[in-house]
Amino acid sequence: MKERFDIIASSLSSYFGIGFNTIEEQLDIDLGKTIKEVDDDAQDRMDLGNAMEEGCLNYFEKKLNIAIDERNSEYKYAVNGLLKCKRDGRTFIDGVETGVENKYSNSKSKCFTDDFGYELQCQAYMMAWGLDQWLLCGMWQGQPKMKLIKANKEIQDDITEVVTRVSSILMGISSMEDYPWDIVEKYSKVNALKSLENEDIEDYDKELLHRIGELKDEIKIRETECKELEEYAKNHYTDSRYQDEDYKYVISSGERKGGIDTDKLSIEHPDIDLSKYQKPSSTYVTIRVTSRH
């Protein structure tokens, strides 16, 4: 079991119900009950981001005509020492001291400047350093992106409440029954998970769930093997076809039409409210199985 109970700012999105991990999964990780799984692709993305950080910061220094110093130089704590923060740098914008958070992302979904999880991080950093604004900047799909985030007392108060409650749970003082779900509901549509005991599940369903776990492991292995073999075939045979006694194979190249650049559209036509053209939200159910070995 872990001996320290500080929370890192990058975990806030999960504790607010908008991160990759569920609230319960993040608690298990911070308690040391579950090892955080990082596959090769995720590790490669992190390594690339770390390697590109200095270049990104240098780029925005020149672009904005500012100096970014104190890069990754210190940790500070917010919420009475319970929330651990590390900033990427410091600058001054129009004479105002400003923290800097840098991201390097090739995500195919939304840009990091539109991700509320990073807003939470920057608000936490402002709390730790006592600043009124934070520059979120970096590269997304090869394009420079930035956003100046101002201190928001309501969000910071919610961070204080969530971190305080989570710390109490981590230290065994309180339980999930005391979790601030009213705050989570403000930012997310996730619901509290029911903990099912052995007697709550039929034997057939136990076997079914276990089989799902086995199949997901098998699929992961098969997908990795298939991906490697497909890459080899694509690199060795271009616009070709072949057949054997069982299968026909076609390897062809083509061009996919690009989507609409909403960032460029919003810059050139700021009067257009793009949210009016967003498709409605939909609900979904996921099953995530994690190996215990």
Side-chain angles (χ1 to χ4, degrees):
M1 298 291 289
K2 65 178 290 180
E3 296 179 355
R4 295 186 61 188
F5 299 98
D6 51 63
I7 299 161
I8 58 175
S10 59
S11 298
L12 283 175
S13 59
S14 292
Y15 282 126
F16 272 71
I18 57 173
F20 176 76
N21 297 311
T22 66
I23 293 168
E24 290 81 358
E25 286 172 336
Q26 191 63 50
L27 280 168
D28 282 346
I29 290 171
D30 286 346
L31 281 168
K33 293 181 178 180
T34 301
I35 298 175
K36 185 176 181 179
E37 293 186 351
V38 180
D39 60 25
D40 291 341
D41 288 341
Q43 185 62 54
D44 188 63
R45 289 194 297 271
M46 289 190 288
D47 292 341
L48 178 61
N50 291 334
M52 298 299 292
E53 183 173 302
E54 281 295 310
C56 282
L57 293 174
N58 292 341
Y59 169 83
F60 281 98
E61 273 192 331
K62 184 174 181 180
K63 180 178 179 66
L64 301 176
N65 192 28
I66 57 177
I68 301 176
D69 58 11
E70 297 188 9
R71 300 185 182 186
N72 291 294
S73 60
E74 63 177 331
Y75 287 97
K76 281 200 174 185
Y77 291 82
V79 193
N80 299 315
L82 299 175
L83 183 61
K84 186 177 183 180
C85 304
K86 185 180 182 182
R87 68 180 177 183
D88 291 334
R90 179 198 68 162
T91 190
F92 287 86
I93 297 178
D94 295 330
V96 179
E97 184 175 355
T98 307
V100 180
E101 174 68 7
N102 178 256
K103 297 294 176 187
Y104 187 90
S105 170
N106 285 315
S107 169
K108 292 181 175 59
S109 56
K110 60 186 173 183
C111 177
F112 59 84
T113 54
D114 298 321
D115 190 325
F116 186 68
Y118 295 127
E119 162 99 8
L120 286 171
Q121 274 186 250
C122 293
Q123 293 292 340
Y125 297 152
M126 281 183 257
M127 296 165 68
W129 270 269
L131 299 180
D132 294 323
Q133 61 185 31
W134 213 267
L135 176 64
L136 175 61
C137 63
M139 303 292 288
W140 178 64
Q141 296 187 352
Q143 299 294 320
K145 302 290 180 182
M146 61 182 176
K147 180 180 183 180
L148 186 63
I149 299 173
K150 299 288 187 176
N152 184 305
K153 186 178 185 304
E154 180 182 357
I155 295 176
Q156 293 186 3
D157 287 345
D158 288 341
I159 289 173
T160 298
E161 181 65 18
V162 168
V163 168
T164 302
R165 298 278 195 94
V166 169
S167 295
S168 294
I169 294 172
L170 294 176
M171 289 184 282
I173 298 173
S174 57
S175 67
M176 279 300 294
E177 294 179 356
D178 304 308
Y179 204 84
W181 290 104
D182 57 322
I183 293 177
V184 174
E185 289 174 0
K186 291 170 60 176
Y187 305 98
S188 167
K189 295 186 181 300
V190 302
N191 300 310
L193 300 180
K194 296 180 291 185
S195 293
L196 300 176
E197 302 299 332
N198 198 50
E199 60 272 14
D200 297 325
I201 305 179
E202 299 290 339
D203 288 342
Y204 173 81
D205 294 339
K206 293 175 188 175
E207 294 176 4
L208 182 147
L209 290 171
H210 191 265
R211 184 57 181 155
I212 290 175
E214 291 179 333
L215 288 172
K216 283 184 174 287
D217 277 343
E218 291 176 19
I219 289 170
K220 188 184 300 182
I221 294 171
R222 298 298 186 191
E223 284 182 341
T224 300
E225 180 183 4
C226 186
K227 183 179 179 181
E228 291 173 352
L229 296 178
E230 284 183 341
E231 286 302 314
Y232 175 88
K234 289 176 183 178
N235 291 332
H236 285 75
Y237 303 98
T238 303
D239 296 323
S240 307
R241 60 184 175 186
Y242 167 72
Q243 65 182 38
D244 57 25
E245 62 273 16
D246 295 315
Y247 303 103
K248 292 181 179 180
Y249 312 90
V250 176
I251 302 171
S252 60
S253 57
E255 184 174 308
R256 184 182 293 110
K257 187 176 181 180
I260 296 175
D261 187 338
T262 55
D263 292 312
K264 185 176 181 181
L265 180 62
S266 64
I267 291 172
E268 295 182 353
H269 300 279
D271 54 313
I272 298 177
D273 182 6
L274 296 181
S275 64
K276 290 165 53 178
Y277 304 97
Q278 286 182 328
K279 294 180 180 179
S281 300
S282 59
T283 59
Y284 59 91
V285 177
T286 61
I287 297 179
R288 189 183 303 172
V289 182
T290 306
S291 175
R292 301 180 63 186
H293 304 290

